[in-house]
Amino acid sequence: MIRFESVSKVYDDGTRAVDGLSFDVPAGSLLALVGPSGCGKTTSLRMINRLIDATSGTIALDDIDVLSTDRVALRRKIGYVIQHAGLFPHRTVVDNVAALPRLLGGDRKATRTRALELLELVGLDERFAHRYPWQLSGGQQQRVGVARALATDPPYLLMDEPFSAVDPIVRAQLQDEFLRLQAEIGKTIVMVTHDIDEALKLGDRVAVLRTGGVLAQLGTPLELLTAPVDDFVADFIGGARGYRALGFAGLAGDAALAPESPIRMGETATEGWTIVVDDAGRPRGWVEGGTATADALLTTARFLPRTASLRDLLDGALAAPAGRVGVVDERGVLVGSLTAAAVLSAERAA
Ligand code: ADP
Ligand code: MG
């Protein structure tokens, strides 16, 4: 766990960059620090690995004050990923990843083997290992940066705008990959970003800072989206908040589901849109009145699991010719349907 207790930083010129910051990052979770440029995000991050020392307050890793930990020992425990990856330009990719473990006395062969494994973990196969950083795309360099930060298998990871320097499509891809990676490695992470969408997507919890390094609000993405504490947070999160919040919530139960009367292939629907199921009760498509023949069957509408996000359910309902989306259980068996209105008024679970 990472704990900030009333941490402040005043630079020599009198700039108050961080002011009385307190929060916890539970083990294995990711806290996204988000806020406008100059609000003290980078300063906060660099006080954790002591690239900057706090003016007052305490930062503790697993209840041990970072000030009482030797800087080298500290950085072995804390991986650090920065924008533009910050790779050594004159070293190959594999040497970049192996550099720190080597410096710490690791055996040459073992550190290289491990570096290759890490590169594979972040989606770079051996072809890339012997290139130089300039021979990689921005997104690939950023992946090497992540692999390098993981090289000493540190329990903590600090990431400062890790995906900001790449274009939006690559960024979304890196974010998705990173979510998968974190599900596997379960590091304790503080990630800094100015991008609220990135914070909401990657953060288990999100801390919104305002200028002057003051905490405006800390909460889960759903809490921030549904209950911003003030106008600053609401403005920062921006428009379409209600719609975006749906992406972070699911159905609280089956109460909102309307019952369906499905038919089998060859049977005849009385009127209106009717779901056609197989012998196990799994949906095959819809028919609009008439007999369920292969020709009449509409198979393009999606059926969604009851665990889908409300946003996906809403999209499903809006896109469906029938005006409602069919919902299935974990075995794929039809359990009911939802109209768009039913999705919007459904009881929510985070
Ligand atoms: P962010 O990462 O949120 O953009 P920073 O933590 O980099 O913000 O900076 C916070 C504030 O501290 C800014 O006003 C910045 O100009 C100031 N600052 C950063 N580094 C220094 C420094 N070395 N000396 C004086 N002021 C600094
Ligand atoms: Mg910064």
Side-chain angles (χ1 to χ4, degrees):
M1 184 176 76
I2 301 173
R3 170 168 288 163
F4 271 56
E5 270 174 31
S6 307
V7 175
S8 296
K9 174 66 188 181
V10 182
Y11 283 108
D12 291 343
D13 66 357
T15 305
R16 183 169 285 272
V18 176
D19 194 4
L21 199 54
S22 299
F23 59 75
D24 284 347
V25 189
S29 74
L30 190 153
L31 178 77
L33 269 184
V34 66
S37 177
C39 72
K41 302 181 297 294
T42 294
T43 303
S44 299
L45 202 68
R46 303 181 92 186
M47 289 190 292
I48 302 173
N49 62 3
R50 292 188 60 199
L51 288 169
I52 298 173
D53 278 336
T55 311
S56 62
T58 309
I59 300 174
L61 301 183
D62 288 335
D63 293 324
I64 301 168
D65 190 334
V66 294
L67 293 181
S68 68
T69 313
D70 159 67
R71 276 193 170 80
V72 175
L74 195 61
R75 287 180 203 153
R76 195 179 304 200
K77 289 205 297 193
I78 306 176
Y80 188 40
V81 184
I82 57 174
Q83 203 177 349
H84 300 297
L87 302 176
F88 304 119
H90 54 280
R91 292 195 193 173
T92 61
V93 163
V94 65
D95 286 341
N96 262 281
V97 177
L100 187 55
R102 277 289 282 161
L103 203 68
L104 294 170
D107 164 72
R108 183 179 147 82
K109 193 152 173 264
T111 53
R112 280 177 76 85
T113 306
R114 179 69 190 136
L116 290 173
E117 283 168 14
L118 285 164
L119 286 167
E120 198 177 318
L121 189 68
V122 298
L124 294 174
D125 64 45
E126 208 162 340
R127 279 180 301 139
F128 297 98
H130 306 290
R131 292 194 193 169
Y132 288 88
W134 58 270
Q135 294 171 311
L136 302 181
S137 71
Q140 288 163 347
Q141 289 182 33
Q142 216 53 52
R143 290 194 184 111
V144 178
V146 173
R148 190 178 57 171
L150 295 173
T152 56
D153 196 21
Y156 305 101
L157 210 52
L158 307 179
M159 308 179 80
D160 195 344
E161 305 270 4
F163 309 125
S164 298
V166 292
D167 68 66
I169 292 171
V170 175
R171 192 185 312 166
Q173 201 182 332
L174 289 174
Q175 289 166 347
D176 291 341
E177 284 173 15
F178 187 74
L179 277 176
R180 274 198 299 275
L181 182 65
Q182 167 65 355
E184 210 175 297
I185 61 181
K187 302 291 180 188
T188 306
I189 305 173
V190 181
M191 188 193 69
V192 160
T193 176
H194 64 274
D195 176 355
I196 184 67
D197 286 308
E198 181 164 278
L200 294 170
K201 179 171 173 181
L202 299 183
D204 296 302
R205 294 191 308 156
V206 177
V208 183
L209 298 185
R210 65 174 98 240
T211 307
V214 179
L215 184 64
Q217 187 170 0
L218 175 74
T220 63
L222 188 63
E223 284 163 355
L224 291 183
L225 285 161
T226 53
V229 288
D230 58 21
D231 289 347
F232 171 78
V233 177
D235 287 349
F236 195 74
I237 290 173
R241 212 173 68 222
Y243 175 65
R244 286 158 66 181
L246 296 176
F248 296 91
L251 293 171
D254 286 346
L257 292 173
E260 285 287 329
S261 307
I263 58 173
R264 310 250 176 111
M265 289 300 277
E267 293 178 355
T268 301
T270 45
E271 61 178 273
W273 284 100
T274 302
I275 297 174
V276 180
V277 294
D278 67 13
D279 289 343
R282 291 182 301 239
R284 299 193 50 182
W286 293 81
V287 286
E288 190 180 15
T291 303
T293 61
D295 281 348
L297 198 66
L298 176 99
T299 55
T300 49
R302 297 163 68 205
F303 292 89
L304 291 171
R306 53 152 63 108
T307 52
S309 73
L310 295 183
R311 187 156 151 174
D312 284 344
L313 291 167
L314 181 65
D315 283 341
L318 291 171
R324 58 194 199 274
V325 60
V327 178
V328 298
D329 67 13
E330 39 297 316
R331 292 163 303 158
V333 174
L334 183 70
V335 288
S337 67
L338 290 163
T339 60
V343 174
L344 291 173
S345 57
E347 203 166 323
R348 295 172 189 189

